[in-house]
Amino acid sequence: MPTFAPNSWEARAERSVMFGFTDLPSLHERGPLIITHGTGVHVHDVHGRRFLDANSGLWNMILGFDNRELAEAAKAQYDRFPGYHAFFGRISDQAVALSEKLIEVSPYDEGKVFFTNSGSEANDTMVKMLWFINTVMGEPRRRKIITRLYGYHGVTAVSASMTGKPYNKWFGLPLADFRLTSCPHWWRFGLPGETEAAFTARMARQLEELIELEGPETVAGFVAEPVMGAGGVIVPSQGYFQAIQPVLRKYGIPLISDEVICGFGRTGTMWGATTYGFVPDAIIASKAITAGYFPMGAIILGGALAEKLQAASEKIEEFVHGFTASGHPVGCAIALKAIEINERDRLIDRVNALAPRFHARMARLAEHENIGEARGIGLMGALEMVADKATKAPFPAAAAVSEKVANRCIDNGLICRPLGQAIVLCPPFVTTEAEIDWLFDTLETSVGEVFSEIG
Ligand SMILES: Cc1ncc(COP(=O)(O)O)c(C=O)c1O
């Protein structure tokens, strides 16, 4: 364990900060990384070290860490009108303009937008909307929410209940009414000899069996990420959404696309749903909505669901829900600017231009005997490490291989994220070709160093 001087940033952080989602053995061994500022796709720490952040912060900083236009938009809005709410029929002009813009860039001709401060709150709000519609409209038993094993939807009590990660048992979650169906990761969960098409058909069958088991009249909604992000960049098996959407339609169950990671271009189109050829009943957006320059989440309801929520609200005279800072005018001004830059600078074209280079380098890494799968789409990818490539056997958890690789990357000036036994990469959209090359050169070196030490 390193010893830091008592007044060092590291010692101060360890004394005063309760770290979340942080591997504590690694933290104690290495100390925290304390960042002061960013330039382009790099962040700088208190010791003057520079790191290329291959995770765009937490998927969100798609325009890098020093975009002047976003900072200017924030300053201008702080000067003009620094804060307001969206209760009692009062709302800022910026929140109205952003609602219109989000509908314009959505797959919907018409719809309605509701703002939150995070992706978790957006998912939580979405579930409350479904519960509210069903309760007010006389179907109070229709409450169950189906999500997928390894899906990630957030950390509030409801959104954690939607999250299919084993650690939620430590909170005594999920709450009642939350159910999981299978994870469509063919490489990991395909049966011996099962084709991808047969696997996809099995996923749809298992979903239908679950709906039948629970009672279709008790199911309020199905929520899915187009590509599972925090589950380890799990790309759905071929035809997955085309196979499950008819099942959901058969039972009148809304399909909600959690686009907190996929939204705004990460997968190579504006929405992951578009990339995978389906139209959801509602979209959950956050993260890149403000390019990470302000906390914000949004629910974009398609026309039909918006009408239902409006009708239920009219019935009892209001939709009794909202957060003090929902639709904050500064956040909305930043989001409007971020979307303007995304469109003006054709950043989704840029994602598609960088993607072949990104995936070619991923594939090259997958030639390593301990990389079992290189997966991803657009500018998101994961490298799954395995002890045995033929059997896909993982390393013992205690070997902490992904932490070791990620820590070595940090030593070499690269930030990337360990997730289970995978390394996740999702660089900002403004990354240059040369920076992509440097990222992978550094990752290759780090992987080589760690595995030669493991032996
Ligand atoms: C798909 C998805 N949904 C929801 C969330 C929760 O968002 P937040 O951390 O803003 O609450 C995340 C966060 O990573 C996410 O990846």
Side-chain angles (χ1 to χ4, degrees), residues 4 9 18 34 44 54 63 67 89 99 110 127 130 145 193 202 229 238 276 281 287 341 352 360 378:
F4 296 105
W9 280 104
M18 183 65 227
I34 295 155
H44 301 251
L63 301 179
N67 187 290
S99 301
E110 50 187 19
V127 169
L130 295 170
I145 302 293
R202 179 158 65 83
Q238 187 133 33
Y276 288 99
D281 295 284
K287 293 199 189 273
I341 295 171
N352 289 316

Side-chain angles (χ1 to χ4, degrees), residues 59 118-121 123 152-155 225 230 258 260-261 286-287:
W59 305 90
S118 68
S120 300
E121 288 174 356
N123 277 313
Y152 183 87
H153 300 286
V155 295
E225 302 154 83
D258 182 342
V260 169
I261 280 177
S286 186
K287 293 199 189 273

Side-chain angles (χ1 to χ4, degrees), residues 74-282:
K75 272 191 222 128
Q77 186 58 35
Y78 272 122
D79 286 342
R80 190 170 162 262
F81 191 38
Y84 211 66
H85 62 84
F87 284 41
F88 321 129
R90 298 193 273 280
I91 193 161
S92 76
D93 55 356
Q94 299 300 300
V96 176
L98 179 59
S99 301
E100 287 174 344
K101 187 71 195 171
L102 288 172
I103 293 163
E104 183 198 315
V105 300
S106 81
Y108 310 122
D109 295 333
E110 50 187 19
K112 277 185 187 275
V113 174
F114 193 94
F115 291 110
T116 68
N117 309 302
S118 68
S120 300
E121 288 174 356
N123 277 313
D124 212 300
T125 296
M126 182 73 246
V127 169
K128 282 188 73 183
M129 284 174 170
L130 295 170
W131 286 348
F132 179 82
I133 292 169
N134 295 341
T135 306
V136 172
M137 295 313 216
E139 275 195 290
R141 286 187 62 230
R142 199 182 263 278
R143 289 183 69 79
K144 287 177 191 159
I145 302 293
I146 301 179
T147 55
R148 283 114 29 104
L149 186 62
Y150 302 121
Y152 183 87
H153 300 286
V155 295
T156 57
V158 161
S159 60
S161 293
M162 301 160 74
T163 292
K165 295 272 206 170
Y167 52 71
N168 278 317
K169 70 173 184 234
W170 297 114
F171 298 95
L173 294 172
L175 300 170
D177 299 323
F178 292 85
R179 300 289 183 274
L180 292 177
T181 188
S182 347
C183 168
H185 188 191
W186 180 49
W187 179 83
R188 177 56 77 197
F189 298 115
L191 301 172
E194 191 177 34
T195 63
E196 191 164 2
F199 174 79
T200 295
R202 179 158 65 83
M203 294 296 101
R205 227 175 23 252
Q206 286 178 348
L207 174 62
E208 180 151 19
E209 282 163 12
L210 178 64
I211 294 168
E212 285 288 351
L213 179 77
E214 297 294 336
E217 72 290 350
T218 68
V219 181
F222 175 83
V223 187
E225 302 154 83
V227 178
M228 288 183 180
V233 190
I234 296 171
V235 176
S237 60
Q238 187 133 33
Y240 174 78
F241 284 101
Q242 285 64 39
I244 60 156
Q245 196 155 27
V247 175
L248 297 168
R249 286 217 182 101
K250 177 173 164 187
Y251 296 103
I253 298 168
L255 165 58
I256 313 300
S257 191
D258 182 342
E259 302 263 1
V260 169
I261 280 177
C262 295
F264 302 97
R266 180 61 72 186
T267 65
T269 68
M270 191 66 172
W271 307 106
T274 310
T275 298
Y276 288 99
F278 70 97
V279 179
D281 295 284

